[in-house]
Amino acid sequence: MMNIPCPFCGPRNEAEFAFGGPVKPHRPDPNAVSEVEWTQYITTVPNPLGPVEERWWHVKGCGTWLTIWRDTRTHDIVEGPGDAG
Amino acid sequence: MHDMHNYSFASLLRHGINKHTTWPKAWRSPPLRDSYDVVIIGAGGHGLATAYYLAKEHGLTNIAVVERGWLGGGNIARNTITIRSNYMRDESIPFYVKSVALYEAMTRELNFNTMHSKRTMIDVIQNYPMMRDRRRRQHIMDIYGSTYEQISEAEVRKRIPALTGGGPDARLPVIGGMVHTDAAVNRHDAVAWGYARAIDAMGGEIHQQTAVESLVRGADGAIEGVQTNRGLIRAKKVAVAVSGHTTTLTETAGLTLPLRTMNLTAFVSEPVKPLVDVIVNCPDAGFYFSQSDKGEMVIGGAPDMGQSFRRDIKQHVFEDTVSAMLSLFPSFKKLKLMRQWGGHLDIAKDASPIMDETDVPGLFVTAGWWGGYKAIPAGGLTLAHLVATGRPHELMEAFTLKRFRHLDYVMETGTTTAR
Ligand SMILES: Cc1cc2nc3c(=O)[nH]c(=O)nc-3n(C[C@H](O)[C@H](O)[C@H](O)COP(=O)(O)OP(=O)(O)OC[C@H]3O[C@@H](n4cnc5c(N)ncnc54)[C@H](O)[C@@H]3O)c2cc1C
Ligand SMILES: [Zn+2]
């Protein structure tokens, strides 16, 4: 079980949360990118064997959305590359 | 090629007299060579079935299946063995009808008892939108000769006496059911071992403890072989059949595929006297189960939230599934649960499988088989066709990778049993 750190409620059992999916890159302007880039954006999410950045919704708690990095092998909440330091 | 030892009553008697010390090995462990015509990665159901049909239908026997663990030790050993063809899409149903038929014929075809047990599946419906989805499926399944029939709540309870919950005062009362008489369960080890023995007899090779570390491309960009923990193996054709690990492997060839890997879970009770003779599926509650020949309840639940490469069940996923089950089957409270586990499965955006030659010439993938145990025989038949002829089999024409380029999804609600 994960203890997801909610900025308002503190660490809470993951059963209180709904999963919001991995963080995707910024939605491109379909007319400004190639067809391959556009369909890739629409159809593909990151699927790493390791840390992934994702959104969670504290739906059975305070209702806020938050972002964490989670290791898909262990489900440990980890520091993201940008968080260090 | 060498003869396959035929299993029969006579051979059982003969080897029995010799105290079972004279049975030949079911397959060889030949030395690994440095090149083959085709290398198949993954000795799960799909990899083995593909090798079998490459040899049997296309005469390709200079082939090797490489497996990082042991044969039949992946998801084929971790699933709840429900075989069925109640899907929703015109593209899907004929494929699954074929797969169910191939399973029914498998014991004889492989001379290996797969313990095939045809037993109706009953969906217990507790919601009108779900009933509408199922009746929509029924109309489409009718066209392709798969069976689906609506029954009343009283009939559901008559056929499943242990279903005593979900009464008129429940939050979600049972409103009726759907009956799928084509459904079956069988023995997963026997499927893997039966294929392995037949592949071996036709001259194909299976190499266990052989992990592919990366896919190797030649100067022209086409596939050249695979780098393994036992060295480089060359092949002009390579098929990836590794279920949840597809993207991990295809990334090594520079590909990005539209697949997510998730952990699906199951658990098993102690053996009890015969209680349920059908496969019970409760899509609104979110669980399904059947009783094994040994008497255990084999129970399937929900996946973890989010992508996952874990192989266990989380406490709250487990508790949710158990409480859903007890709401409909309160007497199961007395059951002791013996084992629980999970497995990594991949799923595409539209919940339909992917079978195609990739942008890397000579590199084939079969993936996105979320509930893909039922798909093993037809999956092998169709991938062997694609690898051998270069053209998709007609049953798999809709399931290319290219469909994502055109956003031409095959949205499928029949992929998961329970939801
Ligand atoms: C809990 C659970 C319940 C399920 N219930 C059902 C069900 O009731 N009905 C149904 O139809 N389906 C069900 N499934 C799905 C089914 O198990 C899978 O879709 C199917 O087994 C996948 O195909 P496979 O047999 O080829 O995969 P696997 O058996 O997983 O084979 C893939 C093989 O590739 C190997 N491999 C991976 N990476 C490498 C590498 N780098 N090098 C070499 N080898 C590698 C693995 O070790 C593995 O042996 C269930 C799955 C789970 C987890
Ligand atoms: Zn909160």
Side-chain angles (χ1 to χ4, degrees), chain B residues 111-130:
Chain B
N111 175 233
F112 203 104
N113 188 358
T114 60
M115 302 188 195
H116 194 84
S117 167
K118 195 160 182 174
R119 52 179 92 169
T120 294
M121 179 160 112
I122 298 184
D123 296 328
V124 177
I125 309 293
Q126 299 169 270
N127 233 329
Y128 288 98
M130 185 63 78

Side-chain angles (χ1 to χ4, degrees), chain B residues 41-47 66-70 73-76 78-82 210-212 241-243 245 249 264-266 288 341-343 345 369-374 376:
Chain B
I41 311 172
H46 283 268
V66 294
E67 164 58 49
R68 82 169 158 202
W70 64 93
N75 291 302
I76 192 175
R78 310 177 83 85
N79 86 98
T80 47
I81 54 175
T82 309
T210 308
V212 173
V242 297
S243 65
H245 289 272
L249 213 48
L264 186 67
T265 60
Y288 62 96
W341 66 88
L345 303 173
W369 292 110
W370 179 262
Y373 181 70
K374 66 182 79 61
I376 285 170

Side-chain angles (χ1 to χ4, degrees), chain B residues 2 4 7 26-28 40 42-57 63 65 71-72 76 83 95 98-114 116 186-206 372-382 384:
Chain B
H2 60 109
M4 187 160 81
Y7 294 145
W27 53 83
R28 302 158 296 153
I40 296 164
H46 283 268
L48 291 168
T50 303
Y52 171 74
Y53 285 109
L54 275 176
K56 179 173 172 258
E57 300 288 332
I63 59 178
V65 185
L71 182 168
I76 192 175
I83 299 166
F95 172 87
K98 177 73 177 176
S99 212
V100 168
L102 290 171
Y103 260 130
E104 285 173 359
M106 192 179 281
T107 289
R108 274 178 198 287
E109 177 165 348
L110 300 180
N111 175 233
F112 203 104
N113 188 358
T114 60
H116 194 84
N186 68 3
R187 179 81 203 152
H188 53 80
D189 292 329
V191 171
W193 299 339
Y195 276 135
R197 183 165 156 271
I199 294 162
D200 180 78
M202 291 186 286
E205 297 179 7
I206 299 159
Y373 181 70
K374 66 182 79 61
I376 285 170
L381 179 79
T382 51

Side-chain angles (χ1 to χ4, degrees), chain B residues 169-187:
Chain B
D169 297 331
R171 187 172 73 85
L172 291 177
V174 174
I175 59 172
M178 293 298 288
V179 181
H180 179 45
T181 53
D182 299 329
V185 295
N186 68 3
R187 179 81 203 152

Side-chain angles (χ1 to χ4, degrees), chain B residues 340-393:
Chain B
Q340 42 80 7
W341 66 88
H344 320 147
L345 303 173
D346 52 6
I347 189 162
K349 175 114 179 156
D350 57 1
S352 284
I354 294 173
M355 183 183 291
D356 209 346
E357 184 167 2
T358 64
D359 288 345
V360 176
L363 179 66
F364 300 83
V365 287
T366 184
W369 292 110
W370 179 262
Y373 181 70
K374 66 182 79 61
I376 285 170
L381 179 79
T382 51
L383 181 58
H385 184 277
L386 174 65
V387 169
T389 68
R391 290 186 311 274
H393 190 283

